[in-house]
């Protein structure tokens, strides 16, 4: 795993300014990102299955980052098809239910790969569970090499182990490939709130939080294992509404979007 980041480790500024212009071209503040794209986001308003309009828009948004020179890795969830926790709550063996969820992420990864290639991006799907006929096995150095060559890398099948979420996968892969930030795409929620804004319209939105706030308050952004991994490796997290046009691009340009977790001066 990558060592914790400190001064001189090549990380982005703790509180990045908006992307400056270089000859009229906007300059991103992050060199390499992990986009955590939940299954719920890929389902769109349907709430279940794949909404190809959403997947197509995701591909166009990722292309906009690629055109600015950002190296993009994507971790996909599978909750739009199957959730392991839901199966285990109905009496299924937890490990079996989780493996089914990992397979669901592969379906989403292949759909996203297809749309990315349709907009002209060279893409690789890498899976933690070996399935050579449809994807490459995950190898850390190979993933980094793909990114350096300008390819979009999609990480599927979670960590390859039951009992771990795809949020934990995002944190783990971000540490392994030395990503500058994790961008967490949420559907219809533009950040982290003290309560569910869909149920409580008066819920307060946080612009910035520390990792310990997520752990102590149980705000539900990501599970404790994923949060701890980000904290230990000083990887900032930006939670934003994926439904809002250009929010992904704005986040990479350092503009104020959603809620930033970690990345304060003490984490520089």
């Amino acid at each position: 795993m990558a060592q914790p980041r400190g001064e001189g480790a090549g990380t982005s500024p703790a509180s990045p300014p908006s992307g400056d212009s270089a000859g009229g071209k906007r300059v991103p503040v992050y060199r390499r990102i992990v986009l955590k794209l939940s299954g719920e986001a890929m389902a769109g308003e349907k709430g279940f299955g794949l909404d190809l309009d959403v997947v197509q828009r995701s591909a166009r948004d990722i292309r906009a980052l690629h055109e600015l020179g950002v190296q993009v890795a994507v971790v996909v969830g599978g909750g739009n098809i199957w959730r392991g926790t839901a199966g285990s709550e109905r009496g299924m063996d937890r490990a079996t239910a989780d493996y089914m969820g990992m397979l669901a992420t592969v379906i989403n990864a292949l759909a996203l790969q297809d749309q990315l290639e349709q907009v002209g991006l060279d893409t690789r799907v890498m899976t933690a569970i070996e399935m050579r006929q449809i994807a490459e096995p995950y190898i850390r150095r190979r993933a980094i090499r793909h990114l350096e060559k300008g390819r979009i890398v999609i990480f599927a099948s979670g960590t390859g182990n039951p009992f771990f979420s795809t949020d934990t996968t995002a944190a783990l892969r971000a540490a392994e490939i030395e990503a500058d930030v994790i961008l967490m795409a949420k559907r219809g929620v533009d950040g982290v709130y003290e309560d569910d804004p869909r149920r409580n319209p008066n819920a307060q939105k946080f612009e910035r939080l520390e990792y310990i706030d997520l752990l102590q308050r149980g705000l539900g952004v990501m599970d404790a294992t994923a949060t701890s991994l980000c904290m230990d490796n000083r990887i900032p997290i930006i939670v934003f509404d994926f439904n809002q046009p250009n929010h992904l691009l704005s986040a990479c340009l350092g503009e104020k979007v959603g809620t930033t977790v970690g990345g304060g001066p003490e984490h520089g």
Side-chain angles (χ1 to χ4, degrees):
M1 182 181 295
Q3 294 299 314
R5 294 165 165 75
E7 292 294 331
T11 56
S12 299
S15 299
S18 295
D20 296 325
S21 294
K25 179 180 179 181
R26 290 179 294 180
V27 179
V29 297
Y30 300 114
R31 174 185 61 95
R32 180 179 294 164
I33 70 163
V34 167
L35 170 63
K36 172 54 172 57
L37 189 56
S38 69
E40 183 183 35
M42 297 183 77
E45 296 301 321
K46 298 177 181 178
F48 182 81
L50 276 167
D51 185 332
L52 282 181
D53 289 337
V54 173
V55 181
Q56 289 167 0
R57 179 169 57 81
S58 303
R60 292 193 297 268
D61 289 347
I62 291 171
R63 182 179 62 182
L65 299 185
H66 180 268
E67 289 171 348
L68 291 179
V70 179
Q71 297 177 13
V72 182
V74 186
V75 172
V76 290
N80 56 318
I81 298 171
W82 176 262
R83 289 187 183 276
T85 52
S88 64
E89 288 170 359
R90 296 290 300 272
M92 288 188 68
D93 174 74
R94 174 63 188 272
T96 299
D98 280 355
Y99 280 121
M100 292 171 63
M102 293 179 214
L103 297 178
T105 71
V106 177
I107 294 173
N108 286 338
L110 293 176
L112 180 59
Q113 179 185 39
D114 177 79
Q115 294 303 312
L116 287 167
E117 290 178 343
Q118 289 199 33
V119 297
L121 297 180
D122 198 6
T123 309
R124 297 291 187 275
V125 173
M126 306 188 85
T127 58
I129 298 173
E130 192 169 306
M131 44 187 76
R132 289 180 180 270
Q133 286 84 351
I134 59 174
E136 296 181 11
Y138 171 70
I139 300 172
R140 173 181 171 269
R141 289 181 180 271
R142 183 178 291 176
I144 292 172
R145 186 61 177 149
H146 285 323
L147 292 168
E148 290 172 345
K149 287 187 174 182
R151 296 166 181 153
I152 309 301
V153 178
I154 306 172
F155 297 124
S157 68
T159 66
N161 301 287
F163 305 101
F164 290 95
S165 70
T166 51
D167 286 347
T168 298
T169 304
L172 177 61
R173 298 290 183 250
E176 288 181 306
I177 68 172
E178 299 182 354
D180 299 319
V181 66
I182 296 174
L183 301 179
M184 294 201 69
K186 298 291 186 180
R187 182 173 68 85
V189 179
D190 63 338
V192 183
Y193 287 76
E194 61 181 354
D195 193 11
D196 188 341
R198 287 170 286 200
R199 293 197 307 256
N200 178 7
N202 297 317
Q204 176 190 355
K205 176 185 171 183
F206 301 104
E207 288 194 2
R208 179 173 290 278
L209 290 166
E210 294 304 320
Y211 307 105
I212 197 67
D213 294 324
L214 300 188
L215 294 170
Q216 291 181 340
R217 298 189 185 203
L219 293 171
V221 177
M222 57 169 47
D223 59 69
T225 302
T227 303
S228 296
L229 267 171
C230 290
M231 181 167 61
D232 291 345
N233 291 279
R234 302 176 184 177
I235 305 169
I237 308 155
I238 299 176
V239 184
F240 69 101
D241 184 359
F242 196 61
N243 288 346
Q244 294 298 317
N246 300 319
H247 269 201
L248 178 58
L249 178 61
S250 296
C252 280
L253 290 171
E255 299 170 4
K256 284 188 177 181
V257 172
T259 300
T260 300
V261 180
E266 70 274 22
H267 302 298

